[in-house]
Amino acid sequence: MHLKGENVSFGYKRNNLILKDVNISLGSGEVLGLIGDSGSGKSTLCKILAGYENKYQGKVTLDEKEIPPKGYNPVQLVFQHPEKAVNPKWRMNDILNEGHFVSQDILEAFGIKNNWLNRWPNELSGGELQRFALARALSPKTRFLIADEITTMVDSITQAQIWNIVLDIVEELNIGVLVVSHDRNLINRLCNDTVYLKDINNT
Amino acid sequence: MSTAVVTVNRGLFRGLNLRQKTLLIIGSTSLLLLGIVVSSVFLGGEPLQTNFGSKNLAPSLEHPFGTDWMGRDMFVRTLEGLGLSILVGGLASTISTVLTVILGLLSSAGKTADSFVSWLVDLFLSIPHLLLIILISIGLGGGATGVIIAVALTHWPSLTRVVRAEIKQLKTQEYIHISRNLGKSKWWIASKHILPHLVPQILLGTILMFPHAILHEASVTFLGFGLSPHEPAIGIILSESMRYLSAGYWWLAFFPGLSLLIVVLAFDMIGENLGKLMNPKNAHE
Amino acid sequence: MGNKAEINPEKELNTEKELITGLGTTSGNMKKTEALLKVEDLSLSFTQYESGLRQTELKVISNLSIQAYKGEILAIVGSSGSGKSLLAHSILGILPSNAKLDGRIEYNGAELTQERKEEMRGKEIALIPQAITYLDPLMKISNQVIGCVEKKNEGLMKKLQREIFQRYTLKPEVERMFPHELSGGMTRRVLVSTAVISSSKLIIADEPTPGLDEKTLNETLSYFKDMADKGCAVILITHDIEAALKISHKIAVFYAGTVLEVANVEDFKNNGENLRHPYTRALWNALPQNKFQAIKGHQPMQDEVIDGCIFYERCSRKKALCAQGLPQLKQVNGGMVRCNNAS
């Protein structure tokens, strides 16, 4: 399977584009790194690929077909700040199982303790919440994972824990991953290949 | 950057924490209001019979609020009037809240619907409130039904505006986007993600609508466009007493007016304290 | 107000474009006599409602001691929930009203009381926050940087501000701009200028780096180094051990509300043999450029009660003694550590 962005351009104003003719392609099971300076449009590209932003020019396709706007999106996006990705009025158990029923194996792999499930989001730390966000996104129906700076806000041990698990799961499920980060060391460690998004972007 | 405020625990409720204090205030005020409604239902009968033997008596132990020119006990009349006012207020604010929820959800359905709701809110807010109530009330033939419907139909705009803004803000949240990406329908998101955030707002809005509705009902009745003179409404009592004020029968207006004020303030107090409980800023004091 | 005049505009401004050169940042002629900031045995707890009407105390910082010296950068490294930001809030006196603070904070030899904190805040002690929303959106930049000064000093301050702006390559137009017109980098430089002009002696930077690309990161860090070189004490709060290593002199490692180790920058090398605490070693070895190796387990939650060492559950070298009480902070090899195994 292939997730493709072709000639993607985006800008809030007509003559001030953030993204210009970006081409990107990601295959199943591939772990691709995306590096760019602050403000180069990395996050916008992620949102376009995952269908969060649809006022762009160009084409985003999954195996040459457009991604349907309704129903489960096989392209899942996980953000930098997990606090914003959970409804503060929900308990963690409901948050975790919103998309699919997360198996006990995955919970154990992520180190999610059962007594966390009864807690409210504000009782958990960022690193703990990010595990929930990832477990929620990695359902059997997910084909691609866009990881937009997912470990930027956590310490190095948590970062290593999270990525080791994610890599195991995506390998098992044959999911393609786009790793967005400003940390070259991390990208070098994780990815087979790297794409650079320059300010005036020609990848 | 705020400095740390030290809450001083003093006065009547020393030793209780904020949450206990707030709940105590809410509880006792609600009890007072409930008492008024219940007693207004069971009182009546004899004290309200015309009794010219004891007309125009000043306040005494037997008649704490005095009696009027027909010898009726003003205390019982006031209670009856307040009970009626609270019922009318309750009915009106409940209907208004239902309208708010419907319009709020409608505004989240699409762009056209949203501009329609926002136009409707602006329209209602641009006409003087009292005038609008009088117009609707007369248009519906006056009387109790007319007033209740008029009051109910005119109190939703400001709450609707708040709810609409809240929904707009919620819809930009990341977890709403994620929910959509996880394949959830619009309706599912509205009821599971958005509604839980609106419930406290709506509850508070409803309670704070009460005093408005009560005062509007009383004013319209006072002006003669509302409830009929047979009803023991506060508005009627006050407008009748106006004729006797110059004769020195001050208690006819004073006690009913004061009671009305107390009821209105009681609702305000409940609303304010509930707001305090729901505000996460001082949730842990 | 008296300390305002102490800034010396003629002072050498040599570090403007200086690159950060990793470990080689020890300033030579430093006198380590008395700490500028001394935090001793600090404990912080919050009163919270458990369920319904019962209130409980939630302990978030316990037995915490650190010292910051003039001309030095102290990095405070730890994961979220380790209490590092709350320490900053304690020093600045901006805790919420349900917080209870015990222990002693000393600044310049005298106890830092709440009144003194309020007096010093924004003057002697400055906070450089991560969020750019810190600036007042309706006020021109120059007014925010200068703050309120007496009329007769205004000309002087203006001149000083221009010089500082020049040092941080901010164009003169910037002073007439409003915050929303600035880019992220400019905002950071404006915040730094604010701290410099008020001649703050103690700078606390709370997570100033996450999400910055390499160039911007180095630039931001160079500002802190610059301040330390001019004699300020800088406390850099971060979870990013790499960024901390680039400029700091000492690194305090926070875990579950207390200090586990205070290490020197030179100790971070190879496989971390010189590090004193297993947690610090794990942090170091988990970096992607090192082993990318994760130890198991989690930092204990704030409401978990732990009798022994707070790292007991995750430690690979625990012994019976470790289950009985939190080890004392002791001096080992020119650093501090809270571990029974270290010697």
Side-chain angles (χ1 to χ4, degrees):
Chain A
M1 244 186 177
H2 272 275
L3 174 67
K4 262 190 199 155
E6 288 166 283
N7 297 321
V8 175
S9 297
F10 180 87
Y12 293 102
K13 288 179 199 153
R14 200 167 279 272
N15 48 6
N16 183 12
L17 291 180
I18 298 169
L19 296 170
K20 191 164 175 259
D21 294 330
V22 175
N23 289 296
I24 193 164
S25 167
L26 180 64
S28 285
E30 190 185 349
V31 181
L32 180 69
L34 179 67
I35 292 188
D37 284 350
S38 312
S40 62
K42 283 176 296 183
S43 291
T44 312
L45 182 62
C46 290
K47 285 188 177 161
I48 289 171
L49 289 175
Y52 282 58
E53 178 61 67
N54 43 27
K55 294 190 192 89
Y56 60 94
Q57 275 115 51
K59 230 162 69 175
V60 175
T61 55
L62 195 63
D63 274 352
E64 310 299 322
K65 285 193 287 274
E66 293 217 356
I67 301 164
K70 276 189 184 160
Y72 192 92
N73 190 338
V75 184
Q76 288 290 323
L77 173 58
V78 175
F79 296 92
Q80 178 177 1
H81 298 284
E83 308 78 38
K84 295 186 196 162
V86 295
N87 188 336
K89 302 244 170 189
W90 284 25
R91 278 189 195 276
M92 292 317 299
N93 193 25
D94 300 325
I95 292 169
L96 182 71
N97 295 313
E98 185 175 357
H100 69 293
F101 187 76
V102 178
S103 70
Q104 194 62 36
D105 294 345
I106 300 265
L107 289 188
E108 268 162 35
F110 270 112
I112 294 174
K113 294 186 190 165
N114 278 326
N115 66 15
W116 294 359
L117 297 177
N118 285 323
R119 294 190 180 244
W120 301 102
N122 63 4
E123 297 172 309
L124 298 182
S125 73
E128 286 150 5
L129 287 175
Q130 194 64 291
R131 293 165 208 262
F132 281 90
L134 283 162
R136 175 176 64 180
L138 290 169
S139 94
K141 284 190 280 179
T142 301
R143 303 301 348 134
F144 291 95
L145 176 71
I146 317 275
D148 186 4
E149 303 263 14
I150 58 169
T151 53
T152 302
M153 301 306 292
V154 303
D155 60 286
S156 58
I157 297 176
T158 312
Q159 167 167 287
Q161 281 179 337
I162 287 180
W163 275 115
N164 285 332
I165 308 153
V166 170
L167 289 185
D168 281 352
I169 296 175
V170 294
E171 196 183 9
E172 197 184 306
L173 298 174
N174 199 27
I175 291 174
V177 188
L178 184 67
V179 184
V180 182
S181 177
H182 62 279
D183 184 351
R184 275 161 208 269
N185 292 319
L186 179 69
I187 299 259
N188 292 342
R189 176 64 82 163
L190 297 172
C191 305
N192 329 101
D193 228 334
T194 311
V195 172
Y196 296 89
L197 199 60
K198 295 247 175 64
D199 265 344
I200 306 153
N201 23 100
N202 284 310
T203 53
Chain B
M1 216 137 271
S2 68
T3 47
V5 187
V6 182
T7 37
V8 187
N9 233 354
R10 63 179 168 210
L12 194 55
F13 304 122
R14 192 202 308 268
L16 296 177
N17 61 37
L18 183 73
R19 198 178 279 191
Q20 288 166 330
K21 232 188 302 185
T22 316
L23 281 178
L24 197 69
I25 294 173
I26 293 175
S28 49
T29 331
S30 312
L31 213 64
L32 171 77
L33 294 172
L34 194 72
I36 292 174
V37 175
V38 171
S39 56
S40 77
V41 173
F42 290 106
L43 280 176
E46 203 208 340
L48 287 183
Q49 295 296 311
T50 326
N51 179 2
F52 290 103
S54 57
K55 68 176 183 179
N56 293 335
L57 293 178
S60 63
L61 274 181
E62 202 188 340
H63 302 288
F65 286 9
T67 60
D68 66 1
W69 71 98
M70 294 208 279
R72 292 176 295 191
D73 184 77
M74 282 309 285
F75 179 66
V76 178
R77 276 195 87 194
T78 305
L79 270 183
E80 289 268 309
L82 289 176
L84 188 69
S85 285
I86 293 172
L87 286 178
V88 171
L91 204 61
S93 45
T94 313
I95 296 174
S96 275
T97 307
V98 172
L99 281 175
T100 298
V101 174
I102 293 171
L103 288 170
L105 288 178
L106 186 68
S107 79
S108 71
K111 260 208 172 120
T112 336
D114 183 45
S115 13
F116 171 71
V117 170
S118 135
W119 172 80
L120 211 60
V121 168
D122 287 342
L123 178 75
F124 268 77
L125 286 180
S126 65
I127 307 170
H129 201 154
L130 207 55
L131 193 67
L132 195 62
I133 295 177
I134 294 172
L135 282 177
I136 296 177
S137 173
I138 293 177
L140 291 169
T145 4
V147 176
I148 292 173
I149 294 177
V151 172
L153 283 182
T154 52
H155 279 87
W156 54 269
S158 34
L159 186 58
T160 304
R161 189 175 261 190
V162 172
V163 167
R164 182 175 157 261
E166 179 83 15
I167 291 176
K168 268 217 156 120
Q169 192 263 332
L170 282 169
K171 279 175 89 178
T172 63
Q173 295 294 319
E174 275 175 12
Y175 55 82
I176 304 274
H177 283 276
I178 290 171
S179 191
R180 211 175 299 149
N181 238 17
L182 290 171
K184 301 299 177 192
S185 68
K186 257 187 180 172
W187 173 244
W188 197 92
I189 291 173
S191 60
K192 297 276 162 102
H193 275 293
I194 296 181
L195 206 60
H197 286 266
L198 297 180
V199 167
Q201 292 260 17
I202 290 174
L203 196 70
L204 200 61
T206 310
I207 288 169
L208 289 177
M209 222 187 278
F210 251 85
H212 275 265
I214 291 171
L215 280 181
H216 276 129
E217 179 268 319
S219 344
V220 172
T221 306
F222 179 81
L223 291 172
F225 299 105
L227 301 176
S228 70
H230 318 298
E231 310 275 359
I234 285 287
I236 301 282
I237 294 174
L238 287 176
S239 72
E240 280 175 355
S241 67
M242 286 300 121
R243 278 179 270 158
Y244 295 87
L245 263 188
S246 52
Y249 304 141
W250 54 273
W251 57 88
L252 292 182
F254 179 75
F255 287 112
L258 187 70
S259 315
L260 180 65
L261 192 70
I262 289 172
V263 166
V264 166
L265 286 179
F267 273 111
D268 232 35
M269 218 149 103
I270 295 179
E272 210 171 273
N273 280 292
L274 267 182
K276 250 193 230 168
L277 274 190
M278 289 170 188
N279 185 353
K281 252 193 180 157
N282 45 22
H284 284 296
E285 270 172 21
Chain C
M1 285 293 124
N3 50 44
K4 287 249 154 98
E6 277 177 40
I7 307 179
N8 186 355
E10 285 96 61
K11 218 180 221 174
E12 269 268 14
L13 315 170
N14 53 353
T15 38
E16 187 205 315
K17 280 190 182 140
E18 195 185 286
L19 284 171
I20 302 154
T21 48
L23 307 177
T25 54
T26 32
S27 27
N29 53 351
M30 226 164 42
K31 270 180 270 160
K32 270 199 207 168
T33 41
E34 192 66 25
L36 183 66
L37 180 82
K38 218 169 172 180
V39 175
E40 256 168 66
D41 227 5
L42 192 81
S43 292
L44 175 67
S45 52
F46 289 109
T47 340
Q48 287 200 316
Y49 288 95
E50 195 174 304
S51 59
L53 298 173
R54 248 180 340 142
Q55 278 183 319
T56 51
E57 294 237 314
L58 187 67
K59 204 157 194 186
V60 287
I61 293 183
S62 45
N63 314 99
L64 189 142
S65 308
I66 54 150
Q67 274 124 37
Y69 294 89
K70 284 181 189 167
E72 246 190 33
I73 300 178
L74 169 75
I76 294 184
V77 174
S79 58
S80 63
S82 64
K84 53 193 196 313
S85 285
L86 287 169
L87 172 70
H89 294 179
S90 311
I91 296 168
L92 289 157
I94 48 173
L95 290 166
S97 55
N98 61 328
K100 199 167 136 270
L101 200 59
D102 280 316
R104 193 175 159 85
I105 304 177
E106 253 177 46
Y107 177 78
N108 226 346
E111 182 165 6
L112 203 53
T113 56
Q114 181 64 30
E115 295 90 65
R116 220 169 141 231
K117 284 175 191 169
E118 277 162 35
E119 195 183 298
M120 302 257 174
R121 191 162 66 213
K123 293 177 194 138
E124 288 244 337
I125 304 177
L127 174 76
I128 297 183
Q130 178 191 1
I132 47 173
T133 47
Y134 185 70
L135 291 168
D136 184 342
L138 297 175
M139 206 167 153
K140 277 188 191 153
I141 295 299
S142 66
N143 294 343
Q144 305 204 34
V145 172
I146 296 176
C148 17
V149 282
E150 290 162 52
K151 251 297 175 280
K152 62 175 184 202
N153 288 335
E154 213 180 288
L156 194 75
M157 290 305 277
K158 199 96 195 165
K159 205 169 136 234
L160 189 60
Q161 177 237 309
R162 296 234 164 100
E163 272 163 7
I164 290 171
F165 269 29
Q166 210 172 16
R167 186 192 312 167
Y168 292 116
T169 56
L170 286 163
K171 295 206 181 87
E173 298 96 270
V174 174
E175 56 188 73
R176 286 189 304 275
M177 287 184 176
F178 287 96
H180 71 268
E181 298 173 87
L182 303 180
S183 72
M186 281 155 92
T187 312
R188 240 179 313 272
R189 277 175 280 168
V190 166
L191 286 170
V192 171
S193 312
T194 313
V196 171
I197 201 166
S198 49
S199 69
S200 302
K201 302 269 168 35
L202 176 67
I203 316 280
I204 303 174
D206 191 2
E207 294 275 13
T209 57
L212 299 181
D213 59 67
E214 248 171 272
K215 202 178 107 238
T216 327
L217 174 76
N218 287 340
E219 193 186 303
T220 308
L221 292 178
S222 73
Y223 301 141
F224 298 130
K225 193 171 159 287
D226 188 23
M227 289 184 190
D229 289 347
K230 288 210 191 59
C232 296
V234 178
I235 298 181
L236 175 66
I237 296 176
T238 181
H239 64 263
D240 186 352
I241 205 163
E242 251 184 290
L245 287 173
K246 282 186 178 168
I247 56 163
S248 311
H249 301 95
K250 278 194 203 138
I251 303 219
V253 179
F254 274 35
Y255 188 76
T258 195
V259 185
L260 287 187
E261 171 165 1
V262 181
N264 300 311
V265 172
E266 302 81 52
D267 301 333
F268 290 85
K269 61 178 181 204
N270 306 330
N271 293 329
E273 307 85 33
N274 291 351
L275 294 168
R276 296 157 195 83
H277 199 281
Y279 178 64
T280 322
R281 222 170 291 136
L283 276 176
W284 173 245
N285 286 329
L287 284 175
Q289 62 269 41
N290 298 341
K291 291 188 189 155
F292 203 50
Q293 187 183 67
I295 54 163
K296 282 214 164 69
H298 306 277
Q299 177 176 256
M301 298 239 172
Q302 287 163 343
D303 51 5
E304 273 176 67
V305 181
I306 290 160
D307 292 326
C309 173
I310 41 176
F311 193 66
Y312 183 78
E313 210 189 319
R314 304 173 77 179
C315 188
S316 55
R317 290 166 61 196
K318 57 190 162 218
K319 38 191 190 186
L321 177 65
C322 302
Q324 295 153 13
L326 184 66
Q328 290 295 313
L329 198 60
K330 59 187 176 192
Q331 198 98 28
V332 173
N333 256 342
M336 307 282 275
V337 69
R338 208 186 265 286
C339 179
N340 294 325
N341 287 316
S343 57

